[in-house]
Amino acid sequence: MHLNTNADSLRVYEALASEVRLNIIDCLYEKECHVKELAARLHLSNAVVSSHIRKLEDAGIIGSQMKRIDGGTYKYCYIKTEFMQIKLSPERPESLSVQELSIPIGQYTDIEAYPTCGIASTKAMIGPYDNPASFMDPGRGEAGILWFARGWVEYKLPNYLHRDESLHEIEISLELGSEAPRVNERWPSDIRFALNNQPLGSWTSPGDFGKRRGRFTPEWWQSDVNQYGLLKVLRIKASGTYADGQKISDIGLSDIETNRMNWTLRIAAEDRSRGRGGLTIYGKGFGNYDQDLRVRIYYR
């Protein structure tokens, strides 16, 4: 969830400004709960808990669904967003225009992958486990997750800007994690980014997350393998490249050949040291964020 200082984000800040609601979030982080269960755990009435739940739902922090169990119907609540990013500055001026692209993670144009590795859609594996040939399967366009212990993957980004339009910023967001045998929450991986063969910098993923299921992970997916990653937002500006607002290099827009018809984005994890490395990319239908590779181009 992305927040800033405008009025739309205020409801989120208001929802978090309550000890009771923070306790509810802590309970739901452990597992999904129905309202009566939450009320019992917090020693509050159902009505009071329901009012707090409504506040959290309105803010988009939690979601709910009705479930029929043992002849009764219960409202089960769950966490919708695990991480929030707050940008303490106004939105970009209205004078900027934006183009947005959503690129399926299986729509890569080149890849080099080494086991442990694999690719899957929301319905089934695409090719066999740990066989790099699977990444060239015709069904890869349906992929919702891909992973490898070492290697890189490239995507082509179409450049629709006209010659008289001035590029202001490139924003790239996607859900990423490490790749360990099975899962390992402490399995760091240096994930590197490049655009048009220009290194943008790196981000170190802390681990391969799998202690609990991803919010959007399909039911058939095994519970003892990677489940979700962290949403990373790269911004390439005139002043440099930033990951979640933190500068990772001095490479700016003028250093990249942005006049090309297509741009090439490479994401790499090439360290295979013992106890670290690898890359998992989560797309639609997997992980905690129901999105593919998202690109926004801001221009005048």
Side-chain angles (χ1 to χ4, degrees):
M1 180 181 290
H2 300 282
L3 305 171
N4 51 41
T5 53
N6 66 20
D8 291 338
S9 298
L10 187 59
R11 69 182 188 279
V12 178
Y13 305 138
E14 290 175 341
L16 294 173
S18 163
E19 186 175 353
V20 172
R21 290 193 285 275
L22 292 178
N23 288 335
I24 289 174
I25 291 171
D26 286 342
C27 290
L28 296 180
Y29 186 84
E30 296 175 11
K31 65 170 186 174
E32 294 184 358
C33 295
H34 57 74
V35 173
K36 289 184 178 180
E37 184 179 358
L38 283 170
R41 291 184 64 177
L42 299 174
H43 306 290
L44 297 170
S45 69
N46 291 348
V48 168
V49 170
S50 293
S51 67
H52 286 294
I53 289 294
R54 281 194 297 272
K55 191 89 171 179
L56 291 167
E57 282 188 295
D58 290 342
I61 298 171
I62 70 170
S64 64
Q65 59 181 332
M66 304 304 291
K67 290 186 179 181
R68 188 83 176 164
I69 299 176
D70 296 331
T73 302
Y74 299 88
K75 180 177 180 177
Y76 273 81
C77 304
Y78 56 86
I79 297 290
K80 283 183 69 176
T81 181
E82 185 177 355
F83 298 95
M84 297 181 183
Q85 294 178 333
I86 302 175
K87 184 178 181 183
L88 298 178
S89 62
E91 284 294 296
R92 294 171 178 82
E94 293 182 3
S95 60
L96 288 180
S97 300
V98 60
Q99 295 177 359
E100 183 167 332
L101 300 169
S102 181
I103 301 173
I105 65 164
Q107 199 169 308
Y108 45 81
T109 52
D110 203 358
I111 191 168
E112 184 176 284
Y114 296 88
T116 52
C117 62
I119 183 170
S121 72
T122 56
K123 297 178 181 178
M125 286 292 300
I126 299 172
Y129 279 105
D130 291 342
N131 188 337
S134 299
F135 290 98
M136 287 296 109
D137 190 287
R140 69 181 187 272
E142 302 296 320
I145 186 173
L146 64 85
W147 67 96
F148 46 76
R150 180 171 63 92
W152 50 264
V153 59
E154 287 185 345
Y155 296 89
K156 292 290 188 186
L157 313 179
N159 177 15
Y160 292 130
L161 292 180
H162 296 120
R163 290 186 177 181
D164 60 345
E165 292 172 334
S166 175
L167 179 62
H168 181 79
E169 182 178 321
I170 302 171
E171 178 186 294
I172 301 167
S173 65
L174 69 170
E175 187 174 352
L176 300 172
S178 308
E179 163 52 22
R182 295 298 177 182
V183 296
N184 192 325
E185 304 273 327
R186 296 182 179 179
W187 190 275
S189 180
D190 297 328
I191 297 173
R192 304 185 184 281
F193 308 95
L195 189 63
N196 293 344
N197 297 318
Q198 184 66 255
L200 298 176
S202 65
W203 165 73
T204 301
S205 167
D208 185 4
F209 303 105
K211 285 187 177 179
R212 56 187 179 82
R213 292 191 69 79
R215 177 60 54 197
F216 297 100
T217 298
E219 291 185 5
W220 72 269
W221 189 249
Q222 294 174 248
S223 59
D224 60 346
V225 294
N226 32 17
Q227 297 291 324
Y228 63 93
L230 302 177
L231 185 67
K232 306 312 297 177
V233 181
L234 293 179
R235 289 188 172 90
I236 308 164
K237 306 181 182 183
S239 58
T241 300
Y242 301 78
D244 300 334
Q246 196 166 34
K247 195 170 188 178
I248 59 174
S249 80
D250 291 324
I251 300 299
L253 293 174
S254 62
D255 301 306
I256 301 166
E257 295 180 56
T258 55
N259 58 346
R260 293 185 183 183
M261 182 173 64
N262 296 300
W263 302 335
T264 301
L265 173 68
R266 174 178 284 207
I267 308 166
E270 296 167 311
D271 181 4
R272 58 175 179 179
S273 304
R274 183 179 177 85
R276 63 176 290 126
L279 171 67
T280 304
I281 303 180
Y282 300 83
K284 271 187 173 294
F286 275 87
N288 282 345
Y289 301 90
D290 198 25
Q291 70 166 69
D292 285 312
L293 171 62
R294 184 175 295 166
V295 181
R296 291 190 179 100
I297 309 298
Y298 296 93
Y299 66 97
R300 285 190 175 91

